[in-house]
């Protein structure tokens, strides 16, 4: 396990600035995901940690040792690539054994028949076999050890790549979008396997992905990157429910959060499309506010309570849940609302519905996209005037 600090790391390629002073502290045994859109610099940051790229500025510290000038092979980190990088001519056993053989056997000992000639070689080879078999058992690869990569499924190849990393017993695992080549069903399965593997090993994992579902389901913490900078670091719950930047709110969550225009009144309450949310924010009266409400935080209104009335333009039926796209006056795009399938049974395209936000789940952002503090939490009422 490793404690790792990324301090003010910057990286430029010619005149293009890719990383702009990134700071992250990663604890022993933590699973942290670097998530963000393509081109935000997350893979470049991982390669710098691994020693495959040199930073333009800043420091990488592993267990209180600055490793900026330490070669990748001496950082004791294991990296799992998107492409798996398996040797096609070697068996599963030999692919997993490669790092141990390179580390423990010299060039002569790796030759065929060396075990019968060079003293100590047979014992070392037996140790390697024992360790490879232990890792294969952990990953469910025991019955596949004699196969070549071409005889394996995508998920099995992924496990071999992970096994080759595990067998080294590194200080930390670095995973660069390892599931992106798999189909949707297999990705869900492998997410579970990687999360269980992390728990069983208790090792430090740094995981790069553009898939927010992977980050949300596996991580202890998530670092959201945008344009070469860390926008927010927090637990999955914090990132989802209390985004500190509107870009984080819009990136995390599927389908996307609803962003609605609002304005503060004299008491600091925000008026949104004719309704006033009685949660005073830290903003002057008349301030333009961007209001973020996730689809599951919008419900069907009951009785004569104040609501947004609109027409259903589209219905997404996912079986256990239904997403309604509702056209409401005052905004260009639809409001997305998630309902249980039972609730939406009688609702179809063209239906008129009345929607209410669950006010305790509303997020407020200023014109620049920064989160606004809420002074209190209360109830929804009709705007006066």
């Amino acid at each position: 396990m490793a404690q790792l600090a990324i301090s003010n790391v910057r990286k430029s390629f010619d005149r293009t600035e890719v990383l702009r002073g990134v700071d992250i502290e990663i604890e022993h045994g933590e699973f942290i995901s670097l998530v963000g859109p393509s081109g935000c610099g997350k893979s470049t940051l991982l390669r710098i940690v691994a020693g495959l790229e040199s930073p333009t500025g800043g420091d990488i510290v592993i267990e209180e040792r600055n490793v900026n000038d330490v070669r990748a092979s001496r950082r004791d980190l294991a990296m799992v690539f998107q492409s798996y990088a398996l040797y096609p001519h070697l068996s599963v056993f030999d692919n997993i054994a490669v790092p141990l053989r390179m580390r423990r056997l010299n060039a002569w000992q790796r030759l065929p028949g060396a075990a019968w000639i060079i003293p100590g070689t047979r014992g070392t080879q037996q140790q390697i076999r024992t360790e490879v078999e232990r890792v294969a058992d952990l990953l469910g690869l025991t019955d596949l050890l004699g196969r070549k990569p071409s005889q394996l499924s995508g998920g099995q190849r992924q496990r071999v790549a992970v096994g080759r990393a595990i067998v080294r017993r590194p200080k930390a695992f670095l995973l660069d979008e390892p599931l992106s080549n798999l189909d949707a069903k297999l990705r869900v399965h492998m997410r579970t396997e990687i999360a269980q593997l992390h728990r069983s090993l208790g090792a430090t994992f740094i995981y790069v992905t553009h898939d927010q579902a992977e980050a949300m389901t596996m991580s202890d913490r998530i670092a959201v990157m945008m344009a070469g900078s860390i926008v927010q670091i927090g637990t999955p719950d914090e990132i989802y429910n209390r985004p500190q930047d509107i870009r984080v709110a819009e990136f995390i969550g599927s389908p996307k959060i609803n962003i609605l225009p609002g304005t503060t009144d004299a008491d600091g309450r925000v008026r949104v499309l004719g309704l006033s949310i009685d949660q005073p924010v830290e903003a002057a009266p008349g301030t333009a506010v961007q209001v973020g409400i996730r689809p599951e935080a919008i419900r069907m209104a009951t009785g004569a309570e104040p609501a947004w009335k609109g027409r259903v333009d589209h219905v997404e039926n996912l079986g256990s849940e239904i997403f309604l796209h509702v056209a409401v006056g005052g905004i260009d795009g639809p409001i997305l609302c998630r309902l249980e399938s039972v609730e939406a049974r009688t609702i179809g395209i063209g239906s008129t519905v009345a929607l209410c936000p669950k006010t305790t789940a509303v997020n407020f952002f200023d014109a620049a996209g920064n989160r606004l503090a809420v002074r209190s939490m209360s109830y929804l009422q009709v705007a006066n005037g």
Side-chain angles (χ1 to χ4, degrees):
M1 294 187 293
Q3 185 179 40
L4 191 147
I6 300 168
S7 179
N8 194 31
V9 167
R10 302 182 304 281
K11 179 65 177 180
S12 297
F13 293 100
D14 296 325
R15 295 184 179 181
T16 303
E17 191 175 27
V18 178
L19 297 175
R20 304 178 181 184
V22 175
D23 293 285
I24 310 175
E25 289 192 3
I26 302 168
E27 297 299 325
H28 291 286
E30 186 174 22
F31 193 125
I32 188 165
S33 291
L34 305 177
V35 64
S38 298
C40 69
K42 54 190 185 295
S43 290
T44 299
L45 179 61
L46 196 72
R47 289 176 63 83
I48 288 174
V49 172
L52 303 177
E53 296 277 358
S54 298
T56 304
D59 299 296
I60 303 296
V61 178
I62 301 175
E63 294 183 337
E64 301 183 356
R65 178 193 178 196
N66 190 306
V67 297
N68 281 17
D69 298 323
V70 177
R71 289 190 304 173
S73 60
R74 296 187 177 277
R75 295 191 184 190
D76 198 14
L77 304 174
M79 192 159 182
V80 179
F81 295 94
Q82 177 180 343
S83 62
Y84 313 147
L86 301 180
Y87 297 102
H89 63 291
L90 298 181
S91 67
V92 169
F93 179 93
D94 290 330
N95 264 285
I96 296 175
V98 162
L100 296 183
R101 288 172 175 164
M102 295 301 292
R103 181 178 294 182
R104 299 182 187 178
L105 301 174
N106 62 38
W108 293 107
Q109 290 176 312
R110 293 196 293 271
L111 293 174
W116 303 99
I117 301 171
I118 303 175
T121 302
R122 184 181 298 180
T124 302
Q125 288 180 342
Q126 184 56 49
Q127 291 174 1
I128 291 173
R129 173 167 291 278
T130 299
E131 293 185 37
V132 170
E133 290 175 347
R134 176 186 60 83
V135 169
D137 181 63
L138 176 67
L139 296 174
L141 294 171
T142 300
D143 295 336
L144 306 176
L145 287 176
R147 295 189 187 182
K148 299 290 179 62
S150 61
Q151 299 171 303
L152 303 178
S153 67
Q156 290 167 339
R157 292 178 196 173
Q158 178 62 70
R159 277 185 278 161
V160 175
V162 172
R164 188 172 58 189
I166 292 174
V167 79
R168 292 178 49 197
R169 299 187 181 183
K171 291 179 179 177
F173 292 88
L174 312 180
L175 297 95
D176 189 7
E177 305 206 38
L179 308 185
S180 61
N181 289 332
L182 306 181
D183 61 56
K185 183 178 180 180
L186 191 53
R187 279 202 304 271
V188 173
H189 175 69
M190 288 303 299
R191 288 203 311 251
T192 303
E193 287 202 3
I194 291 175
Q196 290 174 340
L197 179 64
H198 170 252
R199 287 193 293 270
S200 65
L201 295 176
T204 303
F205 277 53
I206 306 176
Y207 190 98
V208 162
T209 180
H210 65 274
D211 187 332
Q212 42 115 356
E214 290 179 15
M216 291 290 291
T217 54
M218 294 191 294
S219 311
D220 296 318
R221 286 192 302 154
I222 298 172
V224 182
M225 293 187 68
M226 300 279 178
S229 299
I230 299 292
V231 182
Q232 184 176 353
I233 301 178
T235 65
D237 184 68
E238 290 169 345
I239 294 293
Y240 188 80
N241 292 311
R242 293 189 57 80
Q244 299 302 306
D245 188 289
I246 198 168
R247 293 173 295 173
V248 175
E250 291 184 302
F251 186 79
I252 299 294
S254 180
K256 287 178 64 173
I257 193 171
N258 296 290
I259 301 295
L260 306 176
T263 307
T264 55
D265 63 16
D267 297 322
R269 294 176 299 181
V270 179
R271 184 175 299 177
V272 184
L273 303 179
L275 299 181
S276 181
I277 300 175
D278 194 14
Q279 291 188 26
V281 297
E282 299 288 350
T287 299
V289 175
Q290 301 180 82
V291 182
I293 310 174
R294 297 202 180 275
E296 66 272 18
I298 297 177
R299 61 179 177 83
M300 300 294 289
T302 58
E305 70 177 312
W308 297 315
K309 291 183 173 59
R311 184 189 68 254
V312 177
D313 282 348
H314 182 59
V315 177
E316 294 182 69
N317 188 341
L318 302 182
S320 61
E321 57 189 13
I322 306 291
F323 287 98
L324 304 182
H325 296 237
V326 182
V328 176
I331 55 174
D332 293 331
I335 291 178
L336 268 65
C337 171
R338 189 185 77 181
L339 302 177
E340 299 295 328
S341 58
V342 175
E343 289 183 278
R345 186 175 298 162
T346 61
I347 300 174
I349 295 175
S351 298
T352 299
V353 295
L355 306 176
C356 289
K358 301 174 184 177
T359 54
T360 55
V362 176
N363 296 278
F364 302 101
F365 304 94
D366 62 20
N370 300 310
R371 185 181 185 85
L372 288 170
V374 176
R375 292 202 291 262
S376 67
M377 306 288 282
S378 188
Y379 55 88
L380 182 72
Q381 66 179 31
V382 179
N384 294 323

